[in-house]
Amino acid sequence: MKKPSFYFLLAGLTCFFARPAVAAQSISGRVDAPEQVKQLVVYLQAEGADQSNPAQKIQSVSQKETGFHPPLTVIVAGDKVQWNNDESKEIDHNIFSLSPLTSFDLGLGEKGSKLAQTFKNTGVVNYYCSVHKNMEGKIIILPDRYYQVLERPGDFVIDNLPEGSWTLNAVVLHLRYKAEPIRVTVGKEPVENLTLKIIKK
């Protein structure tokens, strides 16, 4: 199968989900990465007792014109992804994955059908359609809803963070690179000028 191309529908946008009744602040900075690195997701994970348990959300992926839209979906552990067959013609699709993180096969879905899968573990899952070899998609499962998707390394801002201890990290889609995590303490003031480095594995 050919290497999937990634279109970031959510590029440049930050998800804002704050814990209730807690003062919130922001962190900002820049991702420092080699030029080979393109797409990535900067995210925060609460440490220790600060860890949250986000309520489940359902993220929809459309199957149309023999493609997955969007081909990249970012969710949180415990969320469900629902694939909707939105083809204008009578075309069946199948969704399956051989990922070691979560392998599944949802079978065939005809026009108008909805197939779904819940993802409990954090990581990256590649999935495909057995009917159409060109159909490939990717799911990134994060520990919490504080993240920003970047088309390329650069500036980032994550808002509405509760006070506490966090780890700043990134999912790097280039297989030869990874992020160097940073411990961050969020207090009464914004945390600024952070540098998240992307290095070779």
Side-chain angles (χ1 to χ4, degrees):
M1 294 181 178
K2 68 178 183 179
K3 184 178 179 181
S5 60
F6 304 107
Y7 171 70
F8 287 81
L9 183 63
L10 299 178
L13 298 179
T14 301
C15 287
F16 306 109
F17 291 91
R19 296 182 180 88
V22 180
Q25 284 296 344
S26 66
I27 70 165
S28 60
R30 183 171 181 81
V31 176
D32 182 10
E35 62 180 10
Q36 295 92 331
V37 176
K38 301 302 180 183
Q39 301 90 6
L40 49 85
V41 180
V42 179
Y43 70 93
L44 283 159
Q45 180 173 5
E47 296 185 4
D50 294 330
Q51 290 190 359
S52 66
N53 185 20
Q56 185 189 66
K57 291 176 65 71
I58 299 176
Q59 303 286 351
S60 294
V61 176
S62 176
Q63 299 164 98
K64 194 169 184 178
E65 297 178 353
T66 62
F68 293 117
H69 307 280
L72 174 69
T73 304
V74 180
I75 64 172
V76 169
D79 282 353
K80 179 183 292 186
V81 176
Q82 177 177 283
W83 289 270
N84 304 324
N85 188 330
D86 297 323
E87 297 286 2
S88 58
K89 300 179 181 179
E90 296 296 333
I91 299 176
D92 293 346
H93 289 298
N94 160 259
I95 300 99
F96 78 95
S97 175
L98 301 177
S99 169
L101 183 69
T102 304
S103 61
F104 58 91
D105 188 337
L106 303 184
L108 287 177
E110 61 186 7
K111 175 185 174 182
S113 66
K114 302 179 186 296
L115 302 175
Q117 174 74 22
T118 298
F119 296 87
K120 297 181 179 180
N121 300 315
T122 59
V124 179
V125 172
N126 296 310
Y127 66 90
Y128 311 91
C129 172
S130 63
V131 182
H132 304 94
K133 302 302 181 182
N134 63 313
M135 290 181 66
E136 304 179 6
K138 186 181 293 288
I139 301 169
I140 295 177
I141 306 105
L142 300 177
D144 216 327
R145 301 196 191 282
Y146 301 98
Y147 66 88
Q148 185 172 10
V149 182
L150 299 178
E151 287 191 63
R152 57 183 58 83
D155 296 335
F156 68 87
V157 178
I158 302 178
D159 288 319
N160 288 345
L161 283 169
E163 295 179 14
S165 298
W166 300 82
T167 297
L168 178 68
N169 208 338
V171 176
V172 183
L173 296 182
H174 194 300
L175 297 179
R176 295 184 180 179
Y177 292 88
K178 65 179 182 178
E180 284 190 325
I182 302 173
R183 294 191 66 182
V184 179
T185 299
V186 176
K188 303 295 183 182
E189 301 295 331
V191 180
E192 301 175 328
N193 300 319
L194 294 173
T195 299
L196 183 65
K197 293 185 178 181
I198 308 300
I199 60 173
K200 280 189 175 182
K201 292 182 178 179

